[in-house]
Amino acid sequence: MVGSVVASLVPDGTGTNSTVSATDQDLINEQRIVVAASLTFLVGIIQLALGLLRIGFIVIYLSEPLINGFTTAAAIEVVVSQLKYIFGLKVSSFSGPLANFYVLESIFTQITKTNIADLVIAVIVMVCVYIVKELNNRYKSKLPVPIPIEIIMTIIAAGVSYAFNFADKYKVNIVGTIQKGYQPPVAPSISVFQACIANSFSIAIVGFAVAFSVAKVYAIKHNYTINGNQELIAFGLSNILCGSFKGFAASTSLSRSSVQESTGGKTQVAGIISGLLVLIVTLAVGYLLEPLPKSVLAAIICVNLKGMLMKFNEIPVLFKRDKYDCLVWVLTFVASVILGLDLGLAVGVGIELLTVVFRVQFPKFVQLANIEKTDIYRNRKDYNEICEPKGLKIFRCPAPIFFANSSFFKDKLIDAVGFNPLWVLRKRNKALRKIKKLVKKGELCVTPRGVICTSYDYKDSDNEDELDNNRIEELDQPINTADLPIVIDWNADLPNNIQVPRIEIHSLILDFGAVSFIDITGIKALKGIL
């Protein structure tokens, strides 16, 4: 992300028919350093401001499936970025959507130019590191401290590379010259601030999201809590200081965090020791690492990312437990790999918010029944030995009823009871109208044995049906039998072969224990159903 800003503000200046002198190229590089440092300083200011304003609450939108999908994609991106060192190839840097695929395309088109020495070194280091780390895990209760195989392999590789002159004999890509000391502090460029305020805001958010995602993975693993505002303040101060000394925008390193955690680092002391070692290397002993093959570092990073890559095993579990969470994991991963981490994170958050909408708009309504010989009621689909009281339906609503799901609630309730109440009501009101006409004509008599019809010549006329259709609203009114001399049992045989649907239930219980609110649309829907 920083590279794209630098490239847009300070282009190469090389065209198809032009060349740039060494002096001009040095000037361009110096300008690019100023842009990167100023951008880093601005990112730090934004992160510090967000932390002081307590904006760290935005991390609540980063769910565990989203974080795991995102960090797994980041691990894939790190592995892809290390392949060029493992194969000893020169690959241009790419950014933006499909960058990973462009890198892979470049690697595979040059695969025949692989430096065998680099590849052999990387394979040997991978095998050694993997075996020792497995032994560390298996015998961690017996070992006082884990075997620091990464340090051991780094020292051995640097020594062997120097002794046998790998760089000249086998053209191995080595770390090379490490600049001693630190640059003097410089003031940031205000013109760069004005040109890249939008980009710096994006980098601040994505950098924080990457850091928090990795931190949350280890927080869950080691059972501790993290504070989003504290993280923002820490990164803000780090980037402000870093930008002042011509440094680069910082976020959590997925690969190095994985190395530190897997080698037994547990507290901030591990970070302090790492920082002091980097300080010592930068100021004094950096030259000892100059002959170290880059393939060694790439191999160590790839092996230590095993834990992140093993999160693919979560997909089947999520699919069985919650399809929405599985969808968030998969789509966040795919979007981050294809579009890049910045756009992938935005896509993941968007998908997650959509799943929240779908969960509320299409909740899982269930019918409850009684578990035999208990007073417990559960979803009748989840148990074999479960008893549903005769003539009674218990319908549970697990979400608020509002404008977005009121019609869905109505449809599911109708499915649960097994009939459309409006259709039954209209049929009964039509039947009631016919019965009233029979009573009015004296063709129905009440006797001790019940209601007797004295005539079976009554037939519906077309005019009557037409009248019903024109006055359909009357059929939607509640049934009124107050003015009838008889009591109608709608589930019994009606006089004169009048037919109405028979209803098997006598009571409907709506379990609204989980309904947090009902808006005006929900109230109208509920009133219409009642």
Side-chain angles (χ1 to χ4, degrees):
M1 294 176 75
V2 173
S4 62
V5 175
V6 172
S8 63
L9 293 184
V10 189
D12 277 333
T14 57
T16 53
N17 298 316
S18 63
T19 58
V20 178
S21 66
T23 307
D24 292 338
Q25 189 61 48
D26 290 341
L27 183 60
I28 290 173
N29 289 339
E30 185 62 31
Q31 289 175 341
R32 288 184 163 186
I33 291 172
V34 170
V35 170
S38 301
L39 181 62
T40 299
F41 193 93
L42 184 55
V43 167
I45 291 174
I46 292 171
Q47 288 177 328
L48 181 61
L50 292 176
L52 294 175
L53 293 173
R54 319 294 290 175
I55 309 295
F57 71 86
I58 60 174
V59 298
I60 64 175
Y61 296 107
L62 304 178
S63 68
E64 187 178 338
L66 183 146
I67 285 172
N68 289 341
F70 181 71
T71 50
T72 306
I76 293 289
E77 186 164 312
V78 172
V79 170
V80 170
S81 70
Q82 300 304 310
L83 290 178
K84 62 183 179 182
Y85 302 120
I86 292 174
F87 290 102
L89 300 173
K90 292 183 178 179
V91 178
S92 303
S93 60
F94 298 94
S95 61
L98 302 178
N100 290 323
F101 297 95
Y102 292 139
V103 171
L104 290 174
E105 180 190 21
S106 180
I107 288 171
F108 285 114
T109 53
Q110 303 179 65
I111 199 74
T112 54
K113 300 177 183 177
T114 298
N115 187 321
I116 302 300
D118 269 323
L119 183 59
V120 170
I121 291 170
V123 171
I124 292 172
V125 172
M126 280 184 182
V127 172
C128 293
V129 172
Y130 180 79
I131 291 173
V132 174
K133 292 186 81 65
E134 289 298 311
L135 292 174
N136 280 340
N137 288 333
R138 180 168 295 185
Y139 299 106
K140 60 183 176 182
S141 59
K142 298 179 181 180
L143 293 170
V145 291
I147 301 170
I149 185 62
E150 291 87 359
I151 296 176
I152 294 170
M153 294 305 298
T154 300
I155 294 171
I156 292 173
V160 172
S161 174
Y162 176 76
F164 292 95
N165 197 10
F166 280 0
D168 294 332
K169 281 188 178 180
Y170 305 107
K171 305 301 179 185
V172 169
N173 191 11
I174 62 173
V175 171
T177 304
I178 297 177
Q179 182 179 344
K180 290 183 180 180
Y182 292 96
Q183 297 270 332
V186 293
S189 169
I190 302 300
S191 60
V192 174
F193 282 8
Q194 296 171 343
C196 60
I197 180 67
N199 299 89
S200 59
F201 194 88
S202 301
I203 293 170
I205 295 297
V206 172
F208 167 63
V210 171
F212 190 86
S213 298
V214 177
K216 196 167 183 181
V217 168
Y218 294 121
I220 293 169
K221 183 175 180 180
H222 297 288
N223 192 27
Y224 62 88
T225 58
I226 47 179
N227 185 331
N229 295 311
Q230 185 177 341
E231 297 288 318
L232 275 170
I233 292 171
F235 275 107
L237 292 173
S238 298
N239 282 323
I240 288 172
L241 192 63
C242 192
S244 301
F245 287 87
K246 296 185 180 179
F248 200 76
S251 182
T252 294
S253 167
L254 185 65
S255 54
R256 279 174 280 262
S257 299
S258 179
V259 171
Q260 180 166 290
E261 189 269 342
S262 63
T263 51
K266 293 182 178 179
T267 68
Q268 290 90 335
V269 175
I272 292 172
I273 294 172
S274 297
L276 289 174
L277 287 173
V278 173
L279 180 68
I280 293 169
V281 168
T282 308
L283 294 176
V285 298
Y287 68 94
L288 295 177
L289 294 177
E290 290 180 0
L292 178 67
K294 289 185 178 179
S295 55
V296 173
L297 299 175
I300 291 173
I301 287 170
C302 290
V303 173
N304 278 284
L305 288 174
K306 175 197 165 191
M308 291 289 181
L309 297 175
M310 290 298 288
K311 291 190 179 296
F312 281 112
N313 294 332
E314 291 183 351
I315 296 177
V317 177
L318 285 174
F319 186 79
K320 291 178 182 177
R321 190 185 71 186
D322 193 317
K323 304 259 186 324
Y324 283 123
D325 281 345
C326 183
L327 187 70
V328 169
W329 197 109
V330 172
L331 291 183
T332 302
F333 170 78
V334 172
S336 299
V337 169
I338 294 176
L339 301 177
L341 295 182
D342 48 348
L343 295 176
L345 179 66
V347 170
V349 172
I351 292 168
E352 190 172 49
L353 294 178
L354 276 177
T355 62
V356 173
V357 172
F358 276 106
R359 285 179 196 271
V360 178
Q361 189 170 351
F362 304 106
K364 293 181 180 178
F365 298 107
V366 297
Q367 293 181 58
L368 302 183
N370 177 237
I371 298 175
E372 291 184 358
K373 299 179 182 179
T374 70
D375 58 353
I376 299 171
Y377 288 79
R378 291 290 183 268
N379 185 356
R380 68 178 190 178
K381 292 181 179 179
D382 292 345
Y383 297 85
N384 292 325
E385 297 181 0
I386 198 163
C387 173
E388 192 169 35
K390 188 176 181 181
L392 175 67
K393 294 282 185 183
I394 307 175
F395 184 77
R396 172 182 284 172
C397 176
I401 302 173
F402 64 116
F403 66 92
N405 67 3
S406 58
S407 65
F408 185 70
F409 165 73
K410 188 188 298 184
D411 294 340
K412 287 297 179 181
L413 182 56
I414 289 172
D415 291 342
V417 298
F419 62 87
N420 188 326
L422 186 60
W423 181 71
V424 173
L425 179 65
R426 289 175 178 176
K427 287 289 185 181
R428 286 187 178 182
N429 273 328
K430 279 188 178 182
L432 186 62
R433 183 179 294 174
K434 295 174 184 177
I435 291 171
K436 285 181 178 179
K437 289 184 178 179
L438 289 173
V439 171
K440 189 175 181 180
K441 290 182 179 181
E443 296 178 357
L444 283 181
C445 297
V446 182
T447 67
R449 294 183 179 182
V451 179
I452 297 177
C453 185
T454 58
S455 172
Y456 292 92
D457 297 331
Y458 177 82
K459 291 182 180 179
D460 293 339
S461 66
D462 292 339
N463 291 334
E464 246 183 311
D465 285 339
E466 188 68 30
L467 182 67
D468 285 346
N469 290 331
N470 288 335
R471 297 164 59 188
I472 196 86
E473 292 82 4
E474 293 182 12
L475 300 179
D476 295 343
Q477 300 304 313
I479 295 171
N480 183 13
T481 59
D483 55 346
L484 281 180
I486 60 175
V487 177
I488 301 175
D489 181 0
W490 293 108
N491 283 334
D493 292 332
L494 297 180
N496 207 27
N497 294 324
I498 296 173
Q499 300 292 326
V500 295
R502 296 192 178 188
I503 304 302
E504 300 298 328
I505 68 171
H506 58 73
S507 299
L508 172 65
I509 296 176
L510 300 179
D511 180 359
F512 277 11
V515 177
S516 56
F517 71 90
I518 305 178
D519 72 352
I520 189 68
T521 308
I523 290 172
K524 288 182 178 179
L526 192 60
K527 182 180 177 184
I529 288 170
L530 296 178

